[in-house]
Every structure is written in structure tokens, then in C-alpha cells.
Amino acid sequence: GDSVTQMEGPVTLSEEAFLTINCTYTATGYPSLFWYVQYPGEGLQLLLKATKADDKGSNKGFEATYRKETTSFHLEKGSVQVSDSAVYFCALPNTGNQFYFGTGTSLTVIP
Amino acid sequence: EAQVTQNPRYLITVTGKKLTVTCSQNMNHEYMSWYRQDPGLGLRQIYYSMNVEVTDKGDVPEGYKVSRKEKRNFPLILESPSPNQTSLYFCASSDAQYFSSYNEQFFGPGTRLTVL
């Protein structure tokens, strides 16, 4: 069945470090792919999305490219800030309108 | 302000005492969904609804019920809660048109449930 696999955390980085959070997926067809972010004590909110192969989603300095050949959608940011500390979820819908989330990767950025 | 609201935000109850968590959205969205979030398991979908009177099971529906009598409301019902339903619950909504391809989900702030 459809699924999403994320790298396990937690991840701790110093401010201005480079961030990569890996995400791979298994899906029937070519669904849209999403990254959601959850700040402490809040619900999830959309960070970025890509709707087809080779699309690059970007927002707030984060980027992710939909790679069909490697079934991946890795999240990257060139220079993280303390305010990026949060939990990040990779996600995809299936053709049956269900939605699958990864297990989440907790990021802590220290000054 | 466009939003998804959930009530209560926090609830401590005892095994077997029926409870309802309410969810309401003001964006006229067709699609609504309930998730539970557990450490190490991420978010798992409990139930979802494509429109009024249309509901479907997600990955973990056992022990839960839902109803969709009005477009804006999607309550989650635990008729006989058990300790393994202690979790953080999120309601979400989305415009169902082209759902699978394009549209983001908007999440409520969460309900932290403890079943003793």
C-alpha cells in the first residue's frame, strides 16, 4: 500500500547549518507530495508541496524536489534559524482520498 | 478568520465513559478528517468524510465513530474509551475538489485526550 518513510530524529543543528530531512514514498501512480510543519503546541500547517515529478516546492527558505526515479522528496534548507525548530512531516494522499503521513522528524536549532 | 476549531483542547476521562470531541470549520470545505498523533508513529488517519453523510474509515478506525450531518461539523465519538486511545487528536479540512492532486489540509489546534 501507499506509505511514507522519513528519516528518524531528533535532529539538532547549530544556527546557519544546512538541513536535510530525507523522505521516500511508495505510491500507486504519481500523487502530490507535501511537507507539513508542526510548531510546539500547534497543529500542522503546510510548508510546501509539489504536484508532479521534477517539481520543486519552496517556502520560507525550504525546498523539496519531487524525484520520481528515486521516489524521494527530501526537505532542505541552506541556513536554519532557531525559529525553524519544529517537527516536520512528509505526506501524500492516495487515490482513495486517504492521507498518509510520515512519523515526523523533530528539529532543534541551537544558537 | 479561516480556521478549524476543536473542543475541548484537553480532556482527562475514565475508561468506558462516552465522550465527543467536536470539530468545526468555517471555510466551506467538503473534506474533513480526524487523525491521532502518537510518539514514533506520526499521524494516522482515523476517519475522513468527502461530504455530508459520506464517511470512510482511515487506517485506525477501531473504537471511534464519526458523523457528518452538516458540512461544517465533524465530531469524533468515543463510545467506550480505553487507555490505548490516549493520544493527541487533530481535525483537518480541505477543499475536496481535485483533493488528491492539489489541495492542502488545514488543521485544528489539537485535543489532548487522556483515558485513565
Side-chain angles (χ1 to χ4, degrees):
Chain A
D2 296 357
S3 66
V4 174
T5 302
Q6 271 183 254
M7 68 180 277
E8 293 196 14
V11 174
T12 302
L13 295 173
S14 297
E15 213 166 16
E16 300 185 2
F18 184 85
L19 169 71
T20 300
I21 300 177
N22 291 337
C23 170
T24 57
Y25 66 90
T26 302
T28 304
Y30 303 106
S32 295
L33 299 174
F34 299 80
W35 276 100
Y36 281 82
V37 59
Q38 183 181 29
Y39 298 105
E42 299 183 11
L44 281 73
Q45 56 186 274
L46 180 68
L47 179 60
L48 55 82
K49 67 181 181 183
T51 58
K52 60 183 186 295
D54 299 325
D55 259 6
K56 178 184 284 189
S58 61
N59 186 26
K60 299 182 181 180
F62 290 89
E63 293 184 338
T65 302
Y66 190 155
R67 303 274 188 209
K68 185 176 67 174
E69 62 278 8
T70 55
T71 62
S72 66
F73 192 52
H74 304 324
L75 182 68
E76 297 181 334
K77 187 173 185 181
S79 176
V80 294
Q81 306 300 313
V82 173
S83 57
D84 293 327
S85 297
V87 181
Y88 294 83
F89 293 91
C90 188
L92 65 83
N94 74 358
T95 53
N97 296 312
Q98 285 188 255
F99 221 83
Y100 296 97
F101 286 83
T103 53
T105 302
S106 175
L107 169 66
T108 300
V109 179
I110 53 177
Chain B
E1 179 191 356
Q3 61 182 348
V4 178
T5 56
Q6 294 179 230
N7 283 292
R9 293 289 312 279
Y10 303 90
L11 179 59
I12 299 174
T13 189
V14 296
T15 299
K17 186 176 181 181
K18 181 179 179 179
L19 67 91
T20 299
V21 183
T22 64
C23 172
S24 182
Q25 50 93 6
N26 62 1
M27 294 168 279
N28 201 36
H29 285 164
E30 289 91 354
Y31 186 96
M32 297 186 75
S33 182
W34 276 103
Y35 299 89
R36 60 178 290 173
Q37 183 178 11
D38 301 290
L41 298 176
L43 267 75
R44 293 179 292 167
Q45 195 168 33
I46 303 171
Y47 270 95
Y48 62 99
S49 169
M50 291 297 293
N51 214 324
V52 175
E53 302 293 358
V54 180
T55 62
D56 285 289
K57 296 177 180 179
D59 279 345
V60 289
E62 294 78 19
Y64 304 95
K65 286 177 60 177
V66 293
S67 68
R68 189 89 182 273
K69 294 185 171 58
E70 305 166 283
K71 197 173 187 179
R72 64 183 292 125
N73 296 323
F74 191 47
L76 179 69
I77 303 157
L78 285 71
E79 297 219 324
S80 184
S82 62
N84 65 12
Q85 293 178 298
T86 292
S87 187
L88 179 58
Y89 291 85
F90 288 101
C91 181
S93 73
S94 175
D95 186 343
Q97 189 177 21
Y98 308 122
F99 169 76
S100 290
S101 294
Y102 300 116
N103 292 321
E104 70 176 285
Q105 292 186 73
F106 294 84
F107 283 80
T111 295
R112 186 167 292 281
L113 172 66
T114 301
V115 183
L116 302 175

